[in-house]
Amino acid sequence: MYSDKKNILQLVALLKAHRINDIVLCPGSRNAPIIQTLANHPFFNCRAVTDERSAGFFAMGLALQSNKPAVVCCTSGTALLNIHPAVAEAFYQQIPLIVVSADRPAAWIGQADGQTLPQPDVFGTLVKKSVNLPEIRTGEDEWYCNRLINEALLETDHHGKGPVHINVPVSEPLFGFTAENLPPARTISRIQGLKAFSENRNDIASRWSEYTKCIIIAGQSALSFTFEKETDEILNGHFVLLAEHLNNGTVPGTPVKNFDVLLYAFTDKQTENLTPELLITYGGHVVSKRLKKFLRSHPPKEHWHISADGKIIDLYGSLTTVVEADPCAFAAEIASLFKNRPAPEYPWLWKNLAKAIPEPNLPYSEISAIGALVKQLPENSVLHLGNSSIVRYAQLFSIPDTVEVFCNRGTSGIEGSLSAAVGYASASDKLNFIVIGDLSFFYDMNALWNGQVDNNLRILLLNNGGGEIFQTLPGFEMTGQTHRFVTGTHNASAEGWAVECGFIYRGIHNEKELNEALPSFIQSGFSNQPMLSEVFTDKAEDVRLLKEYYHQIKNI
């Protein structure tokens, strides 16, 4: 029988899945549940060494002889510190040593409890990876624990071999041994380079031949690359291609860009039919929360993430393989696997549904102002989007392919949105348009004060007196007092500041004024001064119109 601690079960199941079976066990009580589970499974070759100083080097010797990772497992407290010399030696010899340490729960560290000290990251820079496992109480805990263990085990042989540390907090009672079997544990693999991919090509081709529902998601990118014509045509015929404006065209074929709205309109039957079997991703962040929820709730059979650094990015909770390669080069490899296969109906199901979704056609509002601008942007201009509502509303409209689109989605905060855009524009020879909300603008208004503002800058400031997106949070009904604090209600205008900073300022209060202002605002030539147009709307009306649009979409 095995321990009933789920983090221990995940650890042991993944050691087995990664074919790591040389184990050195040191005595102790806190690590007894780990010992019980390892020692009673026939896959593992366990050895007992009492002195942790010796045990660490003993395990290192096993790894050195087999050229495979070996595990040394110890109890909590100073027992772990005694393995430090072996860790240092393994690091500089590049030997794949795995240190597994049992630990007290974090609440008891520094509370005069026995055998406690801060164990996470105790080896500092002398390990390639250090992870502190959660005690599993929820499904998300289990996913997180699984991901951390996969990351640590993969790092033993990533760009050179070396030691890693897995710290395992274990709460009392320690000695519940009720699990009859190890649980199924998702294993993440890493393919280092296209050469390694080619070595497994036949196995991958055989497995993928069963899949007819395939999706490629291209995340945020500031890069610019194009695909070979044949690659473009093959992937466009066999995959649903999903990309937002922030991808900046680094996606083959004709992508579906309005997928966020499309997912809102899905019926239960469509959700079932359109769930992918194979998901391939590359690039950075994806704005759409609906896409994340859809794929987390309906996971594919396989999820491959392509990145040059081979980092584990498990955004949808179903990652199976990481390929360390350039996405553009890897696309050609993918295309070659699908070259002689008949094109499935699946991509057209998505495309036809996407075509049926209309762009918003709303009365004067924040959304209509964004749409009026982005649909008329001059070719080869640059569009900078503020976070929260702005970047989401812009996705509801088509944007010319020649327009570059940027937004601070690395952490998705409101600070610095204006400054980053102004900095970009100062070094750009193109017209740069900034669409930004009032809270983001006023938070970062010093961006206009630094003396680096050029005449190629046009700011469309959407001012509805507070943070609109906070009014649409599901399940949160705000009282009047709460509303003031959550949404940042204000009565400020940018007019005085804009004029003081040398901008041509224009206030817009209705559709007529908007239509009159846009021609000069989007003119292709540079003006003598930078421009700022402030669009005043009613927050409650903005929210009502948004809900009205989504109600229309749901009934299509």
Side-chain angles (χ1 to χ4, degrees):
M1 300 291 280
Y2 307 127
S3 171
D4 56 10
K5 304 296 184 184
K6 291 184 178 181
N7 55 0
I8 294 175
L9 293 173
Q10 279 286 322
L11 172 62
V12 175
L14 282 170
L15 287 172
K16 181 175 183 293
H18 283 270
R19 311 299 298 170
I20 299 168
N21 65 347
D22 280 329
I23 313 290
V24 177
L25 299 173
C26 302
S29 59
R30 187 63 50 166
N31 65 331
I34 306 175
I35 293 174
Q36 168 81 8
T37 306
L38 287 167
N40 283 281
H41 196 289
F43 173 77
F44 298 102
N45 183 15
C46 295
R47 299 160 169 92
V49 178
T50 300
D51 187 330
E52 287 86 4
R53 292 170 298 179
S54 176
F57 283 103
F58 188 97
M60 191 189 79
L62 292 174
L64 188 62
Q65 190 280 327
S66 67
N67 200 31
K68 298 189 303 182
V71 175
V72 56
C73 173
C74 69
T75 195
S76 64
T78 54
L80 177 60
L81 301 184
N82 285 311
I83 299 177
H84 212 145
V87 169
E89 184 66 23
F91 181 80
Y92 286 111
Q93 279 202 55
Q94 295 191 325
I95 297 172
L97 176 67
I98 301 170
V99 180
V100 173
S101 56
D103 197 1
R104 258 61 172 179
W108 292 103
I109 307 301
Q111 299 303 304
D113 198 19
Q115 292 181 288
T116 60
L117 54 86
Q119 293 182 193
D121 299 310
V122 73
F123 298 121
T125 59
L126 294 177
V127 288
K128 297 187 69 187
K129 185 81 176 177
S130 179
V131 298
N132 187 46
L133 303 187
E135 295 194 78
I136 297 173
R137 296 180 176 86
T138 67
E140 186 171 280
D141 289 342
E142 190 157 17
W143 162 78
Y144 182 43
C145 182
N146 173 278
R147 196 196 83 204
L148 288 176
I149 298 167
N150 271 295
E151 286 183 18
L153 299 182
L154 287 172
E155 200 60 30
T156 60
D157 188 18
H158 183 222
H159 295 304
K161 298 182 180 183
V164 299
H165 176 207
I166 300 174
N167 193 57
V168 189
V170 184
S171 293
E172 296 183 10
L174 302 178
F175 310 123
F177 303 121
T178 58
E180 296 183 2
N181 299 291
L182 296 180
R186 174 192 56 153
T187 306
I188 301 173
S189 62
R190 180 188 279 121
I191 297 176
Q192 296 187 47
L194 295 182
K195 181 180 179 182
F197 176 83
S198 297
E199 292 171 354
N200 295 282
R201 182 184 182 86
N202 292 337
D203 174 63
I204 295 167
S206 175
R207 195 166 67 246
W208 284 9
S209 66
E210 302 174 4
Y211 302 147
T212 59
K213 298 179 178 180
C214 305
I215 289 179
I216 292 177
I217 299 174
Q220 181 175 8
S221 176
L223 301 175
S224 178
F225 54 80
T226 56
F227 297 86
E228 295 290 336
K229 182 178 180 182
E230 184 179 38
T231 298
D232 193 276
E233 291 175 350
I234 292 172
L235 296 184
N236 195 48
H238 287 83
F239 284 82
V240 177
L241 305 166
L242 304 181
E244 296 169 327
H245 296 317
L246 296 176
N247 174 258
N248 284 309
T250 54
V251 62
T254 307
V256 174
K257 290 193 171 184
N258 62 343
F259 57 82
D260 184 79
V261 183
L262 178 60
L263 288 167
Y264 179 80
F266 271 9
T267 63
D268 291 342
K269 184 65 175 177
Q270 287 171 331
T271 298
E272 179 182 342
N273 291 337
L274 298 178
T275 295
E277 298 163 318
L278 172 64
L279 173 65
I280 296 175
T281 60
Y282 64 89
H285 288 252
V286 173
V287 177
S288 173
K289 288 185 177 180
R290 290 192 183 93
L291 182 62
K292 297 168 191 175
K293 182 179 179 180
F294 169 64
L295 291 171
R296 290 169 186 172
S297 302
H298 304 87
K301 295 178 181 177
E302 293 191 52
H303 172 197
W304 288 49
H305 183 69
I306 320 303
S307 65
D309 60 7
K311 187 177 180 181
I312 305 298
I313 301 293
D314 192 18
L315 179 61
Y316 306 106
S318 57
L319 185 67
T320 53
T321 308
V322 174
V323 182
E324 192 167 299
D326 172 73
C328 189
F330 189 74
E333 295 289 332
I334 300 172
S336 67
L337 296 181
F338 286 83
K339 183 175 181 180
N340 297 316
R341 290 173 52 179
E345 182 186 13
Y346 184 70
W348 288 105
L349 293 176
W350 277 79
K351 290 177 183 179
N352 290 334
L353 286 169
K355 288 177 182 177
I357 302 293
E359 292 186 355
N361 183 19
L362 301 176
Y364 176 76
S365 60
E366 190 173 62
I367 299 176
S368 70
I370 294 172
L373 173 65
V374 300
K375 289 190 289 186
Q376 300 180 58
L377 287 171
E379 289 192 358
N380 299 311
S381 58
V382 182
L383 176 64
H384 303 271
L385 298 170
N387 264 311
S388 297
S389 299
I390 305 300
V391 68
R392 290 174 169 83
Y393 293 167
Q395 194 62 39
L396 300 174
F397 300 95
S398 298
I399 293 178
D401 291 338
T402 61
V403 174
E404 297 175 277
V405 187
F406 299 100
C407 178
N408 285 2
R409 292 302 296 178
T411 53
S412 308
I414 67 170
E415 67 283 341
S417 294
L418 188 59
S419 291
V422 170
Y424 185 104
S426 71
S428 172
D429 59 0
K430 299 179 179 180
L431 274 177
N432 280 253
F433 294 86
I434 303 174
V435 182
I436 191 167
D438 45 13
L439 292 189
S440 296
F441 177 87
F442 291 119
Y443 192 96
D444 194 22
M445 61 193 292
N446 278 347
L448 306 187
W449 176 60
N450 62 26
Q452 306 296 319
V453 177
D454 290 332
N455 296 342
N456 64 337
L457 192 64
R458 313 285 168 82
I459 300 175
L460 188 71
L461 168 57
L462 302 166
N463 189 343
N464 60 11
E468 177 191 324
I469 197 169
F470 303 123
Q471 288 199 176
T472 61
L473 297 174
F476 184 29
E477 297 295 332
M478 288 182 280
T479 64
Q481 186 74 345
T482 304
H483 181 276
R484 181 167 68 91
F485 292 115
V486 171
T487 65
T489 303
H490 66 87
N491 296 304
S493 168
E495 180 176 5
W497 185 239
V499 172
E500 183 72 23
C501 293
F503 279 74
I504 298 173
Y505 173 86
R506 188 160 187 170
I508 298 171
H509 303 83
N510 52 55
E511 189 166 0
K512 180 175 180 294
E513 292 179 354
L514 177 65
N515 293 334
E516 290 173 350
L518 280 180
S520 61
F521 190 78
I522 63 175
Q523 63 185 348
S524 58
F526 288 11
S527 61
N528 294 326
Q529 297 171 260
M531 297 183 181
L532 189 151
S533 293
E534 186 169 17
V535 179
F536 295 93
T537 62
D538 179 81
K539 188 186 304 181
E541 181 66 4
D542 287 336
V543 172
R544 187 190 70 79
L545 289 171
L546 176 66
K547 291 179 178 178
E548 184 178 288
Y549 170 65
Y550 275 105
H551 180 74
Q552 173 192 356
I553 294 300
K554 197 70 172 177
N555 291 322
I556 290 178

